[in-house]
């Protein structure tokens, strides 16, 4: 196995957040016998070991894989900080098509590569990797999360993510309408996959009217089949028109970049909050939403339930404790939206500042001598 190679290191991170584009460590691995080519990007470990999933994807070039892993790792630093976790930001990619090159040897070689990083990076499931992969990785290293519940893991994070989105929605309702009550509110959920479907369950329980959209008819049908008792409060819309439904809340729970120059003028909701990653197509869309008087809950604040759940694993997973912590997303949303109001900045920017402030302040605490060796 090629030893993990440190391409560049900036120990400036001990003084807070690395500069834009700077990473504490980027490690490459090429294990010829199994065909493994992997990159681990550790953006910041100021708050704790870098946590982030492993994406298994057939990038066209190594440069493309490197750009993606760095962009994703940086995002994890912000997400974990805003969520109040003692985790830094990192991410990994395995370069190749999982349908053709996945093998026991490749995944275990990858586990050994992660082990070589000595706990500075904790891996997890992401696009292209599965819980079974995490179980295999655990045979090579303890620095893995998201293993099967029978092996001490927290299982599928999607219900936890949906639980967090619900709390984000309650907080947004409080700010917008003066009450967290969602009964009689009309919410459009675009994408009823693992997270969206679980979110609809909560919203129906809350007494809301829910319009759902999905490119898969069977996914839409499943939601209606789940709730015969609420048939009069469940509607369907074409996926392409979901953002333009006249409703209280638009909840993007499918793909990213749904809010852009074209869709924002067409919104007929007062609040946007959902699980999808990277909902804003460009940073300018943050201000565009303010200009339309639409209250936007930054995606990485709203969808942190999954990582909060996973971060409970090293201490011995307990669902009651984890879900109580996820409900704290409510207070984080209130704090971010209050910062946006008082500093007259859009919510996305307020979330970034909130995350950066916490990293800077915790970094200063780390300078205190404790007497520990
Ligand atoms: P999923 O694949 O289970 O569900 C996505 C659903 O969206 C599918 O049913 C798909 O058919 C549908 N879809 C795709 N394109 C669509 C479109 N244009 N319009 C409407 N529907 C469309 O994924 P998921 O795990 O439910 O995740 C949903 C989103 O939340 C993703 O952006 C994901 O990155 C993000 N997220 C998920 C988690 C988690 O715990 N699963 C955590 C954080 C963020």
């Amino acid at each position: 196995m090629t030893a993990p190679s440190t391409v560049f290191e900036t120990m400036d991170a001990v003084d807070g957040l690395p500069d834009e584009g700077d990473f504490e460590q980027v490690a490459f691995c090429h294990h010829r016998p199994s065909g493994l080519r992997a990159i681990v990007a550790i953006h910041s470990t100021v708050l704790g070991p870098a946590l982030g999933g492993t994406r298994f994807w057939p990038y066209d070039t190594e440069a493309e894989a490197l750009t993606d892993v760095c962009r994703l790792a940086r995002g994890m630093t912000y997400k974990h900080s805003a969520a109040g976790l003692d985790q830094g930001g990192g991410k990994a990619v395995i370069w190749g098509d999982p349908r053709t090159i996945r093998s026991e040897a490749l995944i275990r070689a990858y586990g050994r590569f992660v082990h070589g990083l000595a706990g500075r990076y904790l891996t997890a499931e992401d696009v292209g990797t599965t819980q079974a992969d995490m179980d295999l990785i655990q045979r090579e290293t303890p620095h893995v999360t998201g293993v099967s519940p029978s092996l001490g893991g927290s299982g599928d994070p999607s219900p936890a993510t949906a639980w967090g989105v619900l709390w984000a929605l309650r907080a947004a309702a409080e700010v917008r309408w003066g009450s967290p009550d969602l009964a009689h509110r009309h919410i459009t959920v675009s994408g009823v996959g693992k997270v969206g479907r679980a979110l609809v369950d909560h919203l129906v329980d809350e007494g809301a009217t829910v319009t759902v959209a999905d490119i898969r008819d069977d996914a839409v049908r499943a939601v209606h089949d789940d709730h015969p008792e609420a048939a009069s409060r469940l509607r369907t819309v074409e996926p392409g028109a979901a953002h333009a439904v006249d409703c209280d809340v638009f909840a993007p729970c499918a793909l990213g970049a749904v809010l852009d120059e074209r869709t924002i003028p067409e919104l007929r909701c007062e609040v946007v909050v959902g699980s999808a990653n990277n909902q804003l197509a460009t940073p300018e869309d943050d201000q565009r939403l303010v200009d339309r008087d639409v209250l936007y809950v930054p995606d990485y604040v709203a969808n942190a339930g999954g990582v909060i759940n996973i971060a409970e694993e090293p201490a011995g997973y307990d669902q009651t404790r984890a879900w109580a912590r996820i409900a704290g997303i409510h207070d984080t949303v209130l704090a971010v939206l209050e910062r946006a109001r008082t500093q007259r900045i859009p919510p996305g920017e307020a979330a970034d500042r909130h995350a950066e402030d916490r990293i800077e302040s915790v970094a200063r605490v780390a300078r205190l001598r404790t007497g520990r060796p």
Side-chain angles (χ1 to χ4, degrees):
M1 152 130 16
T2 311
S5 59
T6 300
V7 172
F8 50 86
E9 282 199 37
T10 57
M11 297 313 286
D12 306 349
V14 293
D15 286 325
L17 204 61
D19 290 337
E20 176 95 16
D22 268 358
F23 286 76
E24 285 184 34
Q25 187 176 9
V26 180
F28 290 70
C29 170
H30 183 194
H31 180 242
R32 285 179 205 280
S34 65
L36 172 71
R37 284 173 195 268
I39 309 173
V40 173
I42 297 176
H43 178 251
S44 167
T45 58
V46 172
L47 295 177
L51 170 67
T54 300
R55 188 161 288 196
F56 200 156
W57 194 256
Y59 296 98
D60 287 338
T61 62
E62 185 172 347
E64 200 187 299
L66 180 62
T67 304
D68 204 34
V69 75
C70 288
R71 178 183 65 85
L72 294 165
R74 188 169 189 277
M76 296 309 284
T77 298
Y78 280 79
K79 183 169 185 162
H80 294 153
S81 176
L85 298 175
D86 292 340
Q87 307 288 166
K91 201 85 182 183
V93 294
I94 297 176
W95 182 22
D97 187 340
R99 287 170 306 181
T100 52
I101 68 163
R102 174 187 268 114
S103 67
E104 178 183 349
L106 181 142
I107 298 293
R108 291 183 74 155
Y110 174 67
R112 289 199 156 230
F113 172 48
V114 169
H115 195 64
L117 295 167
R120 282 172 48 71
Y121 168 66
L122 295 179
T123 197
E125 205 178 314
D126 196 74
V127 178
T129 50
T130 64
Q131 195 167 79
D133 294 332
M134 299 306 120
D135 291 353
L136 264 182
I137 291 169
Q138 199 191 41
R139 284 157 73 175
E140 303 297 340
T141 180
H143 306 310
V144 54
T145 62
V147 296
S148 300
S150 61
L151 296 172
S154 55
D156 176 9
S158 309
T161 302
W163 178 238
V165 173
L166 177 71
W167 279 99
L169 226 160
R170 286 180 174 148
E174 223 167 296
V175 170
R176 190 67 186 214
W177 301 298
S179 160
D181 191 2
L182 300 175
H184 311 301
R185 291 281 164 211
H186 179 187
I187 295 143
T188 301
V189 180
S190 177
V192 281
K194 294 189 293 291
V195 179
R197 187 172 174 179
L199 178 63
V200 172
D201 292 345
H202 291 305
L203 296 175
V204 166
D205 286 351
E206 296 278 313
T209 295
V210 185
T211 296
V212 298
D214 202 293
I215 52 168
R216 287 177 43 192
D217 291 341
D218 57 332
V220 171
R221 252 194 323 276
V223 168
H224 285 272
D225 290 349
D226 284 349
H227 297 288
E229 81 290 359
S232 63
R233 291 190 281 122
L234 266 181
R235 302 167 190 172
T236 302
V237 66
E238 285 304 309
H243 67 279
V245 172
D246 188 357
C247 61
D248 296 307
V249 181
F250 173 50
C253 294
L255 307 178
V258 283
L259 300 166
D260 62 19
E261 213 172 350
R262 181 186 66 83
T263 56
I264 292 172
E266 294 174 354
L267 292 174
R268 286 196 288 161
C269 58
E270 292 188 47
V271 170
V272 173
V273 47
S275 75
N277 277 314
N278 305 317
Q279 290 169 27
L280 305 181
T282 66
E284 290 73 40
D285 296 313
D286 205 8
Q287 182 61 43
R288 270 195 193 101
L289 287 160
V290 174
D291 296 342
R292 281 283 337 268
D293 195 24
V294 172
L295 184 66
Y296 167 63
V297 177
D299 43 20
Y300 69 78
V301 176
N303 71 16
V307 289
I308 297 174
N309 201 50
I310 274 177
E312 289 291 320
E313 281 186 19
Y317 183 69
D318 176 84
Q319 195 192 352
T320 307
R321 191 183 67 216
W323 282 46
R325 202 157 180 205
I326 293 165
I329 287 177
H330 169 269
D331 290 359
T332 307
V333 170
L334 291 185
V336 166
L337 295 180
E338 180 60 10
R339 180 186 283 250
R341 191 184 67 78
T342 55
Q343 298 186 358
R344 296 170 187 272
I345 53 175
E349 190 181 334
D352 286 356
R353 288 197 190 165
H354 179 82
E356 286 163 4
D357 280 358
R358 177 164 177 258
I359 293 168
E360 299 297 336
S361 61
V362 172
R364 282 195 288 275
V365 171
R367 288 190 192 134
L368 297 173
R369 210 170 277 284
T370 61
R372 274 202 228 150

